[in-house]
Amino acid sequence: MTALAKAIGTAPDDLHITPREIEFEFSDDSPRYWYGKDAFKTHFYNALFTLFPPGEDFFVRSVLHYRGEIDDAVMQEEINNFASQEGLHSRCHADHLDILERQGYTSLKRENKLVDGLLHFLNRKTPR
């Protein structure tokens, strides 16, 4: 057993990642303060939703880094499914970010680029 396998353990036999389309109920018609008409709650969740894509990309890169060390075909499929699912999920977050930008939140994409740059740096310089 490799150090990686020891570190991550094993998943239950009935656990499988299945990529699926996800649709958020958020559109250009959504009110600016969509979470219970509460500005704080809305901004809090908007911040989380817009920061998820760089974080999700970071985790996918971290997992894909070890793909070549995995001999198990089932785990290889799970890695592929995980990466696919996160790609679909990131698209939903990007759509949300586009809507927020049209609502006047113009600095979010720039801030996400900063976070993404930091996470790329961490992928290169730290243990995965």
Side-chain angles (χ1 to χ4, degrees):
M1 180 178 286
T2 67
L4 173 64
K6 287 179 186 176
I8 63 172
T10 58
D13 290 336
D14 62 344
L15 177 68
H16 298 286
I17 300 170
T18 304
R20 66 197 185 288
E21 288 288 333
I22 300 171
E23 298 220 8
F24 294 153
E25 294 181 16
F26 195 77
S27 72
D28 285 314
D29 296 328
S30 296
R32 184 172 179 90
Y33 302 123
W34 55 268
Y35 195 102
K37 299 180 183 176
D38 184 299
F40 175 80
K41 290 177 184 175
T42 298
H43 291 314
F44 177 80
Y45 283 102
N46 282 343
L48 284 179
F49 293 161
T50 59
L51 284 174
F52 280 170
E56 290 168 342
D57 291 346
F58 170 79
F59 287 119
V60 169
R61 286 190 304 271
S62 297
V63 170
L64 293 179
H65 174 79
Y66 290 103
R67 184 188 310 201
E69 296 181 29
I70 306 297
D71 296 330
D72 183 276
V74 173
M75 188 173 280
Q76 283 287 349
E77 181 180 353
E78 294 296 319
I79 290 170
N80 291 336
N81 288 345
F82 170 69
S84 295
Q85 179 61 45
E86 290 307 313
L88 292 168
H89 194 209
S90 287
R91 181 188 45 77
C92 293
H93 287 293
D95 292 346
H96 181 199
L97 184 57
D98 289 342
I99 292 167
L100 291 176
E101 191 172 56
R102 288 192 293 273
Q103 289 183 346
Y105 298 93
T106 56
S107 66
L108 295 173
K109 286 184 180 178
R110 177 181 46 101
E111 291 166 3
N112 273 5
K113 284 182 182 180
L114 293 172
V115 171
D116 194 44
L118 172 64
L119 293 175
H120 270 87
F121 174 81
L122 289 174
N123 277 135
R124 288 189 310 273
K125 299 295 182 184
T126 63
R128 302 246 181 341

